[in-house]
Amino acid sequence: AQTVTQSQPEMSVQEAETVTLSCTYDTSESDYYLFWYKQPPSRQMILVIRQEAYKQQNATENRFSVNFQKAAKSFSLKISDSQLGDAAMYFCAYRRDLRAGSYQLTFGKGTKLSVIP
Amino acid sequence: DGGITQSPKYLFRKEGQNVTLSCEQNLNHDAMYWYRQDPGQGLRLIYYSQIVNDFQKGDIAEGYSVSREKKESFPLTVTSAQKNPTAFYLCASSIGFGGSAYEQYFGPGTRLTVT
C-alpha cells in the first residue's frame, strides 16, 4: 500500500524568506502523480502544484517549486518569497489509480506553516 | 461559477441519529469522492463514485453510506454505526477519465459534531 510521510508537523518562516516542506512516499509503481495541496484556515483545499513521475523536470508554479527525487521517493515543496497568505496546512498527496478513470489521493498528515511578519 | 457546494457548513447531531451531508457539483465531473479529516490524520477516503448509480468503498467506509442518483450529487450518510462520527468531511470531484494529472477539486467541507 502506498504511504505518504510528512515528517515536519509544524514549520515557520520569516516573510520574504524561503522555506522547504518535506514529503516522502512509498510505492512500487513506476508511473504516478504527486501533488501538494494547501489548506488555509478556511479549510478549503487548494491545489498548489503537481508533478508527473515520468517527467524529470521539477514542476514550478510562480513562487512554488518542487524537488522531485524519484529514486529516493522524495517530493519536497519550496516556497520562495514567503507571504502572509502562505500560512496554512500543506498536504502532500500521492495519486493511486482506481477503477478505470477515477483515482484516489493518499495524503500525508500535513505540515502547518506559519509565516512571521 | 463552477464549483462544489457542501451544506451545511456546521452540523450538530445527537448520538444514535443518522445524518446526511450534501455535496453538489456543477463542473460536469464524472468522479466524486468523500474524505474524512481528523486532526493530525490528513484526509482519508470514505467512498468514491465514478458514474451514476455506481460507487465503491474507500479505506474507511464502515458506518457510512452513499448514493449517486444524479451526476452532480453525491450525498453521504453518517449512520449510527459510525463509532466516531465527529470530524470534518470533504467532498471532491474530478474529470475522471483520460490520462494526465487531473486534479481533484474540493468543496468547502462540513464540520459534523455528534454529542
Side-chain angles (χ1 to χ4, degrees), chain A residues 54-105:
Chain A
Y54 63 85
K55 290 185 177 179
Q56 293 185 343
Q57 186 174 6
N58 290 323
T60 62
E61 288 288 341
N62 300 314
R63 298 182 295 106
F64 299 87
S65 63
V66 300
N67 183 5
F68 174 49
Q69 302 289 328
K70 190 173 184 179
K73 298 179 182 177
S74 172
F75 182 59
S76 61
L77 174 70
K78 185 172 81 171
I79 306 174
S80 304
D81 186 25
S82 297
Q83 301 175 359
L84 295 178
D86 295 333
M89 284 290 291
Y90 286 82
F91 292 96
C92 178
Y94 171 98
R95 166 180 152 173
R96 174 167 69 96
D97 288 346
L98 302 171
R99 295 168 64 185
S102 60
Y103 59 88
Q104 173 181 348
L105 292 178

Side-chain angles (χ1 to χ4, degrees), chain A:
Chain A
Q2 291 82 8
T3 58
V4 178
T5 303
Q6 294 180 247
S7 59
Q8 308 150 315
E10 295 188 29
M11 291 195 71
S12 61
V13 61
Q14 290 284 145
E15 195 175 2
E17 296 296 311
T18 296
V19 64
T20 298
L21 308 183
S22 301
C23 173
T24 58
Y25 57 94
D26 183 30
T27 184
S28 58
E29 304 292 326
S30 60
D31 195 16
Y32 49 87
Y33 301 90
L34 296 163
F35 303 84
W36 278 98
Y37 276 87
K38 169 184 177 181
Q39 188 180 44
S42 68
R43 305 199 77 170
Q44 176 76 51
M45 295 287 284
I46 303 165
L47 178 68
V48 175
I49 199 165
R50 76 192 81 192
Q51 175 78 44
E52 293 91 333
Y54 63 85
K55 290 185 177 179
Q56 293 185 343
Q57 186 174 6
N58 290 323
T60 62
E61 288 288 341
N62 300 314
R63 298 182 295 106
F64 299 87
S65 63
V66 300
N67 183 5
F68 174 49
Q69 302 289 328
K70 190 173 184 179
K73 298 179 182 177
S74 172
F75 182 59
S76 61
L77 174 70
K78 185 172 81 171
I79 306 174
S80 304
D81 186 25
S82 297
Q83 301 175 359
L84 295 178
D86 295 333
M89 284 290 291
Y90 286 82
F91 292 96
C92 178
Y94 171 98
R95 166 180 152 173
R96 174 167 69 96
D97 288 346
L98 302 171
R99 295 168 64 185
S102 60
Y103 59 88
Q104 173 181 348
L105 292 178
T106 298
F107 288 85
K109 294 185 177 183
T111 296
K112 183 178 180 180
L113 178 67
S114 300
V115 180
I116 303 166

